[in-house]
Amino acid sequence: MRFRHPDGSAVHLAYCTNVHPAETLDGVLAQLREHCEPVRRRLGRDRLGIGLWLAKDAAHALVSDPSALRGLRTELDRRGLEVVTLNGFPYEGFGAEEVKYRVYRPDWADPERLDHTTALARVLVGLLPDDITEGTVSTLPLAWRTAYDDARAAKAQAALLTLGERLDALAELTGRSIRVGLEPEPGCVVETTGDALAPLTAIAHHRIGICVDTCHLATSFEDPHTALDALTTARVPIVKSQLSAALHAEHPHLPEVRRALAAFDEPRFLHQTRTATASGLRGTDDLGEALVAGALPNAAPWRAHFHVPLHAAPAAPLTSTLPVLRTALTRLVGGPHPLTRHLEVETYTWQALPSDLRPRGRTQLADGIAAELTLARDLLTDLGLKELP
């Protein structure tokens, strides 16, 4: 979905396909047919933006076979779909029964991460619509914090510098610019937007910046205005933003609140949980750990890294951090010029919701994704952006 900002520039809205697990190119093609095109039809649009997640095997198939890449581009066009952004964070296995810490491997100290991200950039050049010259890729925020020392930090920085050189060469060769954004996430080396300032200013490359995920922003209790102003002041490019909402518990000391939270403690993904205290942020790596008596202070609200559907906040006594998303979006695209032009709804946790909230089959899932995109569209038009055909 495309929008015209009041300054005349185009802003793109997509939804991320990591909600539909697929490891192979055939699986990606099936996604377009079984999920993406039905969502587009529900929205009554001739064109729908999707943020493709391409696992290692799918990306390799596309970058090593020009005919396969042309075939995917043809299939996108045929189904009324377009791609300007890729989710390059998960490397493989995102649809496994247990993902947890595996999603952070390989990290930026491992050569596989550089190779994969380079492949994604090359693939995206071939997928961009004819009238678009800029694409974006989000990636993990360096590494999970526990296995990161000075030696690995030096390897990661060198890899990102090499990536910048490769992106420059790709732009010179093709006339199309691909930018890559580190996506701060709780528990990682770069947990907050503030943590991103030092490594990104050290690299100081105009094609490497940050992807602001509004669920992660909220989980770490970052104020959107403060965070985005600091990035702007530091001249860190906001490559893209993922529109998502975290789980919020206003009164975590109450037994009924803890029971409600326990329903979201599931085995597939990590749900890092945080609370803000007078001495700083306190947290656990997973929601189940937070629910152990005494694990976290409970006098102030808790937030958990669980991407809840944008249009459907959990029932009381829980809610979502949709207000943080609204505030961030106002700052991102509500000013005289957009701070980013690529927006992506990213609710990958539909099948991890408590059983009574999960979609029953493809039809309900498509309905839910369409409802999220409708909400995002309404937020954008309320900010003065005009939806384009």
Side-chain angles (χ1 to χ4, degrees), residues 18 20-23 53 92-99 268-269:
N18 62 354
H20 314 305
E23 301 289 317
W53 172 59
E92 62 183 345
F94 200 62
E97 290 186 6
E98 182 177 328
V99 178
R268 179 176 293 180
F269 302 111

Side-chain angles (χ1 to χ4, degrees), residues 201-225:
T201 53
I203 296 164
H205 196 288
H206 66 290
R207 289 196 172 91
I208 301 179
I210 195 168
C211 167
V212 176
D213 184 300
T214 57
C215 169
H216 304 171
L217 192 79
T219 301
S220 295
F221 287 87
E222 290 196 77
D223 173 71
H225 287 294

Side-chain angles (χ1 to χ4, degrees), residues 161-179:
L161 288 169
T162 300
L163 175 68
E165 294 169 356
R166 292 179 180 180
L167 296 176
D168 285 344
L170 189 63
E172 185 173 350
L173 179 67
T174 66
R176 291 181 157 190
S177 174
I178 305 299
R179 298 195 297 164

Side-chain angles (χ1 to χ4, degrees), residues 213-383:
D213 184 300
T214 57
C215 169
H216 304 171
L217 192 79
T219 301
S220 295
F221 287 87
E222 290 196 77
D223 173 71
H225 287 294
T226 302
L228 298 174
D229 286 350
L231 292 172
T232 302
T233 300
R235 298 182 181 275
V236 170
I238 302 174
V239 167
K240 65 186 274 191
S241 180
Q242 289 173 325
L243 307 184
S244 53
L247 193 62
H248 180 95
E250 186 69 19
H251 302 293
H253 65 285
L254 295 176
E256 60 268 30
V257 174
R258 298 174 84 88
R259 286 194 298 271
L261 284 170
F264 286 83
D265 178 29
E266 55 83 35
R268 179 176 293 180
F269 302 111
L270 278 186
H271 301 296
Q272 301 93 316
T273 303
R274 299 288 185 266
T275 186
T277 72
S279 58
L281 210 60
R282 293 278 302 279
T284 60
D285 283 356
D286 215 345
L287 179 56
E289 298 169 20
L291 292 171
V292 174
L296 280 185
N298 60 14
W302 289 3
R303 288 177 179 171
H305 172 216
F306 195 117
H307 291 222
V308 296
L310 301 186
H311 68 293
L318 303 178
T319 187
S320 81
T321 60
L322 184 63
V324 176
L325 185 160
R326 292 177 185 269
T327 301
L329 193 60
T330 299
R331 182 71 182 88
L332 285 167
V333 300
H337 303 286
L339 300 183
T340 185
R341 292 187 294 274
H342 290 180
L343 305 171
E344 179 183 58
V345 171
E346 196 216 10
T347 305
Y348 59 83
T349 43
W350 281 96
Q351 300 302 338
L353 289 166
S355 58
D356 59 324
L357 301 179
R358 290 177 200 164
R360 303 284 187 256
R362 294 178 193 163
T363 297
Q364 287 190 9
L365 178 58
D367 290 343
I369 293 169
E372 288 193 292
L373 285 166
T374 297
L375 183 147
R377 178 190 64 194
D378 292 347
L379 292 178
L380 291 173
T381 55
D382 288 347
L383 290 171

Side-chain angles (χ1 to χ4, degrees), residues 2 26 32 56 232 296:
R2 298 188 188 189
D26 284 345
L32 306 184
K56 173 195 67 171
T232 302
L296 280 185

Side-chain angles (χ1 to χ4, degrees), residues 15-229:
Y15 92 88
C16 186
T17 64
N18 62 354
V19 66
H20 314 305
E23 301 289 317
T24 65
L25 179 54
D26 284 345
V28 171
L29 294 170
Q31 287 176 354
L32 306 184
R33 178 182 68 251
E34 297 170 1
H35 299 287
C36 303
E37 186 177 10
V39 171
R40 177 183 65 76
R41 292 186 181 281
R42 277 164 174 75
L43 292 166
R45 306 299 300 160
D46 292 334
R47 175 172 54 190
L48 175 67
I50 57 171
L52 271 183
W53 172 59
L54 297 174
K56 173 195 67 171
D57 289 346
H60 178 74
L62 290 166
V63 81
S64 60
D65 183 355
S67 66
L69 184 57
R70 288 193 299 270
L72 175 56
R73 172 62 196 279
T74 298
E75 190 70 1
L76 288 166
D77 291 342
R78 189 167 76 88
R79 299 194 180 279
L81 306 169
E82 67 177 13
V83 175
V84 301
T85 191
L86 301 178
N87 186 333
F89 195 135
Y91 181 69
E92 62 183 345
F94 200 62
E97 290 186 6
E98 182 177 328
V99 178
K100 298 288 185 181
Y101 295 95
R102 292 170 51 191
V103 76
Y104 307 107
R105 298 194 301 266
D107 64 35
W108 273 101
D110 298 319
E112 295 88 354
R113 178 59 64 172
L114 173 60
D115 292 344
H116 179 60
T117 308
T118 302
L120 291 177
R122 291 172 59 192
V123 167
L124 184 53
V125 161
L127 295 181
L128 289 175
D130 292 341
D131 61 337
I132 300 297
T133 58
E134 182 180 290
T136 56
V137 181
S138 50
T139 188
L140 86 162
L142 298 182
W144 185 255
R145 69 186 187 281
T146 55
Y148 202 69
D149 55 20
D150 290 346
R152 291 186 69 76
K155 289 181 180 178
Q157 183 175 23
L160 287 172
L161 288 169
T162 300
L163 175 68
E165 294 169 356
R166 292 179 180 180
L167 296 176
D168 285 344
L170 189 63
E172 185 173 350
L173 179 67
T174 66
R176 291 181 157 190
S177 174
I178 305 299
R179 298 195 297 164
V180 174
L182 304 182
E183 181 187 330
E185 175 162 311
C188 292
V189 172
V190 175
E191 167 153 344
T192 66
T193 57
D195 295 335
L197 294 178
L200 288 176
T201 53
I203 296 164
H205 196 288
H206 66 290
R207 289 196 172 91
I208 301 179
I210 195 168
C211 167
V212 176
D213 184 300
T214 57
C215 169
H216 304 171
L217 192 79
T219 301
S220 295
F221 287 87
E222 290 196 77
D223 173 71
H225 287 294
T226 302
L228 298 174
D229 286 350

